[in-house]
Amino acid sequence: MGPSRKFYDKIGMASPETMPKNKGKGGKNRKRGKNEADDEKRELIFKEDGQEYAQVLRMLGNGRCEAMCIDGTKRLCHIRGKMHKKVWIAAGDIVLVGLRDYQDDKADVILKYMSDEARLLKAYGELPENTRLNEGIVGDLDEDDDNAADDYVEFEDEDIDRI
């Protein structure tokens, strides 16, 4: 028989009889999972019938996003469970969506393309030339940044004094 309950009280520890049992499968490190680095050199997947390329316009939360498909339709996309909380999708990302036969305005995100894969798709002619692949904020796809001087506002000293 092991040490008595008095012994554990004396050293300020809970006795084995009063300690809670482990019921879980692991801590938060198990939830994080392993770093899956094997998808760095994966085969480029092209669209099939019933699928379309799309660029994410904005994330809506609850595993949903709004995406502009290459065919010109804006669709509400649902991120599939296999990708949810494992593959992070942000605005501006190029994704492969599965179209629904019964709902044309909704689709399901099947795959997220890495930035180098998206550049390859554009080089192969799968994505139109006016698609912006730079990550981040997505604006109008045909907007030119040549008129950046129009956005510049100049203030006089009098204006600054008035403020």
Coordinates of all heavy atoms in Angstrom, one line a residue, residues 45-55 64-65 67 69-71 73 75-80 83 89 94-113:
I45 N -4.1 20.4 -59.7 CA -5.4 19.9 -60.0 C -6.2 20.9 -60.8 O -6.4 22.0 -60.4 CB -6.2 19.5 -58.7 CG1 -5.4 18.5 -57.9 CG2 -7.6 19.0 -59.0 CD1 -5.9 18.2 -56.5
F46 N -6.6 20.4 -62.0 CA -7.4 21.3 -62.9 C -8.9 21.0 -62.6 O -9.3 20.0 -62.1 CB -7.1 21.0 -64.3 CG -5.7 21.4 -64.7 CD1 -4.7 20.4 -64.8 CD2 -5.3 22.7 -64.9 CE1 -3.4 20.8 -65.2 CE2 -4.0 23.1 -65.2 CZ -3.1 22.1 -65.3
K47 N -9.8 22.0 -63.1 CA -11.2 21.8 -62.9 C -11.8 20.7 -63.8 O -11.2 20.5 -64.9 CB -11.9 23.1 -63.1 CG -12.0 23.6 -64.6 CD -12.9 24.8 -64.7 CE -13.0 25.2 -66.2 NZ -13.9 26.3 -66.4
E48 N -12.8 20.1 -63.3 CA -13.5 19.1 -64.1 C -14.9 19.7 -64.4 O -15.2 20.8 -63.9 CB -13.6 17.8 -63.4 CG -12.2 17.2 -63.2 CD -12.2 15.9 -62.3 OE1 -13.3 15.5 -61.9 OE2 -11.2 15.5 -61.9
D49 N -15.8 18.9 -65.0 CA -17.2 19.4 -65.2 C -17.9 19.4 -63.9 O -17.7 18.5 -63.1 CB -17.9 18.5 -66.3 CG -17.9 17.1 -65.9 OD1 -16.9 16.6 -65.3 OD2 -18.9 16.4 -66.3
G50 N -18.7 20.5 -63.6 CA -19.3 20.6 -62.4 C -18.5 21.4 -61.4 O -18.8 21.5 -60.2
Q51 N -17.3 21.9 -61.8 CA -16.4 22.6 -61.0 C -16.0 23.9 -61.7 O -16.1 24.0 -62.9 CB -15.1 21.8 -60.6 CG -15.4 20.5 -59.9 CD -14.1 19.7 -59.6 OE1 -13.1 20.0 -60.2 NE2 -14.2 18.8 -58.8
E52 N -15.6 24.9 -60.9 CA -15.2 26.2 -61.4 C -14.1 26.8 -60.6 O -14.0 26.5 -59.4 CB -16.4 27.1 -61.5 CG -16.2 28.4 -62.3 CD -16.0 28.1 -63.7 OE1 -16.8 27.6 -64.4 OE2 -14.9 28.4 -64.2
Y53 N -13.2 27.6 -61.2 CA -12.3 28.4 -60.4 C -12.9 29.7 -59.9 O -13.8 30.2 -60.5 CB -11.1 28.8 -61.3 CG -10.3 27.7 -61.9 CD1 -10.4 27.4 -63.3 CD2 -9.6 26.8 -61.1 CE1 -9.7 26.4 -63.8 CE2 -8.9 25.7 -61.7 CZ -9.0 25.5 -63.0 OH -8.3 24.5 -63.6
A54 N -12.5 30.1 -58.7 CA -13.1 31.3 -58.1 C -12.1 32.0 -57.3 O -11.1 31.4 -56.9 CB -14.3 30.9 -57.3
Q55 N -12.3 33.4 -57.1 CA -11.5 34.2 -56.3 C -12.3 34.6 -55.1 O -13.4 35.2 -55.3 CB -10.9 35.3 -57.0 CG -9.8 36.1 -56.2 CD -9.0 37.1 -57.1 OE1 -9.5 37.5 -58.1 NE2 -7.8 37.3 -56.7
R64 N -18.1 30.0 -44.3 CA -18.6 30.4 -45.6 C -17.8 31.6 -46.1 O -17.2 32.3 -45.3 CB -20.1 30.9 -45.4 CG -21.0 29.7 -45.0 CD -22.4 30.1 -44.9 NE -23.3 29.0 -44.5 CZ -23.8 28.2 -45.4 NH1 -23.6 28.3 -46.7 NH2 -24.5 27.2 -44.9
C65 N -17.9 31.8 -47.4 CA -17.2 32.9 -48.0 C -18.0 33.3 -49.3 O -18.8 32.6 -49.8 CB -15.8 32.6 -48.4 SG -15.5 31.3 -49.6
A67 N -17.5 34.4 -53.1 CA -16.4 34.3 -54.2 C -17.0 34.6 -55.5 O -18.2 34.4 -55.8 CB -15.9 32.8 -54.2
C69 N -16.8 33.7 -59.2 CA -16.3 32.6 -60.1 C -15.8 33.2 -61.4 O -16.2 34.3 -61.8 CB -17.5 31.6 -60.3 SG -17.9 30.7 -58.8
I70 N -15.0 32.4 -62.1 CA -14.4 32.8 -63.4 C -15.5 33.0 -64.4 O -15.4 33.8 -65.4 CB -13.3 31.8 -63.8 CG1 -12.2 31.7 -62.8 CG2 -12.7 32.2 -65.2 CD1 -11.6 33.0 -62.4
D71 N -16.6 32.3 -64.3 CA -17.7 32.4 -65.3 C -18.5 33.7 -65.1 O -19.5 34.0 -65.8 CB -18.6 31.2 -65.3 CG -19.3 31.0 -63.9 OD1 -19.2 31.8 -63.0 OD2 -20.0 30.0 -63.8
T73 N -20.1 34.7 -62.2 CA -21.2 34.7 -61.2 C -20.6 34.8 -59.8 O -19.6 34.2 -59.5 CB -21.9 33.3 -61.3 OG1 -22.2 33.1 -62.7 CG2 -23.2 33.3 -60.5
R75 N -20.9 33.8 -56.0 CA -21.6 32.7 -55.3 C -21.2 32.7 -53.9 O -20.1 33.1 -53.5 CB -21.1 31.4 -55.9 CG -21.7 31.2 -57.3 CD -21.4 29.8 -57.8 NE -22.1 29.5 -59.0 CZ -21.6 29.6 -60.2 NH1 -20.4 30.0 -60.4 NH2 -22.4 29.3 -61.3
L76 N -22.1 32.3 -53.0 CA -21.9 32.0 -51.6 C -21.3 30.6 -51.5 O -21.9 29.6 -52.0 CB -23.2 32.1 -50.9 CG -23.2 31.8 -49.4 CD1 -22.4 32.9 -48.7 CD2 -24.5 31.6 -48.8
C77 N -20.1 30.5 -51.0 CA -19.4 29.2 -51.0 C -19.3 28.7 -49.5 O -19.0 29.5 -48.6 CB -18.0 29.4 -51.6 SG -18.0 29.9 -53.3
H78 N -19.4 27.4 -49.4 CA -19.3 26.7 -48.1 C -18.0 26.0 -48.1 O -17.7 25.2 -49.1 CB -20.5 25.8 -47.9 CG -20.4 25.0 -46.7 ND1 -19.9 23.7 -46.7 CD2 -20.8 25.3 -45.4 CE1 -20.0 23.2 -45.4 NE2 -20.5 24.2 -44.6
I79 N -17.2 26.2 -47.1 CA -15.9 25.5 -47.0 C -16.2 24.1 -46.4 O -16.7 24.0 -45.3 CB -14.9 26.3 -46.1 CG1 -14.7 27.7 -46.7 CG2 -13.6 25.5 -45.9 CD1 -14.0 28.6 -45.7
R80 N -15.7 23.1 -47.1 CA -16.0 21.7 -46.7 C -15.3 21.4 -45.4 O -14.3 22.0 -45.0 CB -15.6 20.7 -47.8 CG -14.1 20.7 -48.2 CD -13.8 19.8 -49.3 NE -14.0 18.4 -48.9 CZ -13.4 17.4 -49.4 NH1 -12.6 17.6 -50.4 NH2 -13.6 16.2 -49.0
M83 N -11.5 20.8 -44.9 CA -10.6 22.0 -45.0 C -10.9 22.9 -43.8 O -10.0 23.8 -43.5 CB -10.9 22.8 -46.3 CG -10.6 22.0 -47.5 SD -11.1 22.9 -49.0 CE -10.0 24.3 -48.9
I89 N -8.3 30.1 -45.5 CA -8.7 30.8 -46.7 C -8.9 32.3 -46.4 O -9.6 32.6 -45.4 CB -10.0 30.2 -47.3 CG1 -9.7 28.8 -47.7 CG2 -10.5 31.0 -48.5 CD1 -10.9 28.0 -48.2
I94 N -7.3 32.1 -54.6 CA -7.9 31.3 -55.7 C -8.3 29.9 -55.2 O -7.5 29.2 -54.6 CB -6.9 31.2 -56.9 CG1 -6.5 32.6 -57.4 CG2 -7.6 30.4 -58.1 CD1 -7.6 33.5 -58.0
V95 N -9.6 29.6 -55.4 CA -10.1 28.3 -54.9 C -10.8 27.6 -56.1 O -11.2 28.2 -57.1 CB -11.0 28.5 -53.7 CG1 -10.3 29.0 -52.5 CG2 -12.2 29.4 -54.1
L96 N -10.9 26.3 -55.9 CA -11.7 25.4 -56.8 C -13.0 25.1 -56.1 O -13.0 24.6 -55.0 CB -10.9 24.1 -57.1 CG -11.6 23.2 -58.1 CD1 -11.7 23.8 -59.5 CD2 -10.9 21.9 -58.1
V97 N -14.1 25.5 -56.7 CA -15.4 25.2 -56.1 C -16.2 24.2 -56.9 O -16.1 24.1 -58.1 CB -16.2 26.6 -56.0 CG1 -15.5 27.5 -55.1 CG2 -16.5 27.2 -57.3
G98 N -17.0 23.4 -56.2 CA -17.9 22.5 -56.8 C -19.3 23.1 -56.9 O -19.8 23.6 -55.9
L99 N -19.8 23.2 -58.1 CA -21.1 23.8 -58.4 C -22.2 22.9 -58.0 O -22.0 21.7 -58.1 CB -21.2 24.2 -59.8 CG -20.1 25.1 -60.4 CD1 -20.3 25.4 -61.9 CD2 -20.1 26.5 -59.6
R100 N -23.3 23.4 -57.5 CA -24.5 22.6 -57.2 C -25.5 22.6 -58.3 O -25.7 23.6 -58.9 CB -25.1 23.2 -55.9 CG -24.2 23.2 -54.7 CD -24.9 23.8 -53.5 NE -24.0 23.8 -52.3 CZ -24.4 24.2 -51.1 NH1 -25.6 24.7 -50.9 NH2 -23.6 24.2 -50.1
D101 N -26.0 21.4 -58.5 CA -27.0 21.3 -59.6 C -28.3 22.0 -59.3 O -28.9 22.5 -60.2 CB -27.3 19.8 -59.8 CG -26.1 19.0 -60.3 OD1 -25.2 19.6 -60.9 OD2 -26.0 17.8 -60.0
Y102 N -28.6 22.0 -58.0 CA -29.9 22.5 -57.6 C -29.9 24.0 -57.1 O -30.9 24.6 -56.9 CB -30.5 21.6 -56.5 CG -29.6 21.4 -55.4 CD1 -29.6 22.1 -54.2 CD2 -28.6 20.3 -55.4 CE1 -28.7 21.9 -53.2 CE2 -27.7 20.1 -54.4 CZ -27.8 20.9 -53.3 OH -26.9 20.7 -52.2
Q103 N -28.7 24.5 -56.9 CA -28.6 25.9 -56.4 C -27.4 26.6 -57.2 O -26.3 26.3 -56.9 CB -28.3 26.0 -54.9 CG -29.4 25.6 -54.1 CD -29.0 25.6 -52.6 OE1 -28.0 25.0 -52.3 NE2 -29.8 26.2 -51.7
D104 N -27.8 27.5 -58.1 CA -26.7 28.1 -59.0 C -26.0 29.2 -58.2 O -24.8 29.5 -58.5 CB -27.3 28.7 -60.2 CG -26.2 29.0 -61.2 OD1 -25.3 28.2 -61.4 OD2 -26.3 30.1 -61.8
D105 N -26.6 29.8 -57.2 CA -25.9 30.9 -56.5 C -25.1 30.4 -55.3 O -24.5 31.2 -54.6 CB -27.0 31.9 -56.0 CG -28.0 31.2 -55.0 OD1 -28.2 30.0 -55.2 OD2 -28.5 31.9 -54.2
K106 N -25.0 29.1 -55.1 CA -24.2 28.5 -54.0 C -23.2 27.5 -54.6 O -23.5 26.8 -55.6 CB -25.0 27.9 -52.9 CG -25.9 28.9 -52.1 CD -26.6 28.2 -51.0 CE -27.4 29.3 -50.3 NZ -28.2 28.7 -49.2
A107 N -22.1 27.3 -53.9 CA -21.0 26.4 -54.3 C -20.3 25.9 -53.0 O -20.5 26.4 -52.0 CB -20.1 27.0 -55.3
D108 N -19.5 24.9 -53.2 CA -18.7 24.3 -52.1 C -17.2 24.4 -52.5 O -16.8 24.0 -53.6 CB -19.1 22.8 -51.9 CG -20.5 22.7 -51.6 OD1 -21.0 23.2 -50.6 OD2 -21.3 22.1 -52.5
V109 N -16.4 24.9 -51.5 CA -15.0 25.0 -51.8 C -14.3 23.7 -51.6 O -14.5 23.0 -50.6 CB -14.3 26.0 -50.7 CG1 -12.8 26.1 -50.9 CG2 -14.9 27.4 -50.9
I110 N -13.7 23.2 -52.7 CA -13.1 21.9 -52.7 C -11.6 22.0 -52.4 O -11.1 21.1 -51.7 CB -13.3 21.3 -54.1 CG1 -14.8 21.1 -54.4 CG2 -12.6 19.9 -54.2 CD1 -15.1 20.7 -55.8
L111 N -10.9 23.0 -52.9 CA -9.5 23.1 -52.8 C -9.0 24.5 -52.9 O -9.6 25.4 -53.5 CB -8.9 22.4 -54.1 CG -7.4 22.4 -54.3 CD1 -6.7 21.4 -53.3 CD2 -7.1 22.0 -55.7
K112 N -8.0 24.9 -52.1 CA -7.4 26.2 -52.1 C -6.1 26.1 -52.8 O -5.3 25.2 -52.5 CB -7.2 26.7 -50.7 CG -6.4 28.1 -50.7 CD -5.9 28.4 -49.4 CE -4.9 29.6 -49.5 NZ -4.2 29.8 -48.3
Y113 N -5.9 26.9 -53.8 CA -4.6 26.9 -54.6 C -3.6 27.8 -53.8 O -3.9 28.9 -53.4 CB -4.8 27.4 -56.0 CG -5.5 26.4 -56.9 CD1 -6.9 26.7 -57.2 CD2 -4.9 25.3 -57.3 CE1 -7.6 25.8 -58.0 CE2 -5.6 24.4 -58.1 CZ -7.0 24.6 -58.5 OH -7.6 23.7 -59.2

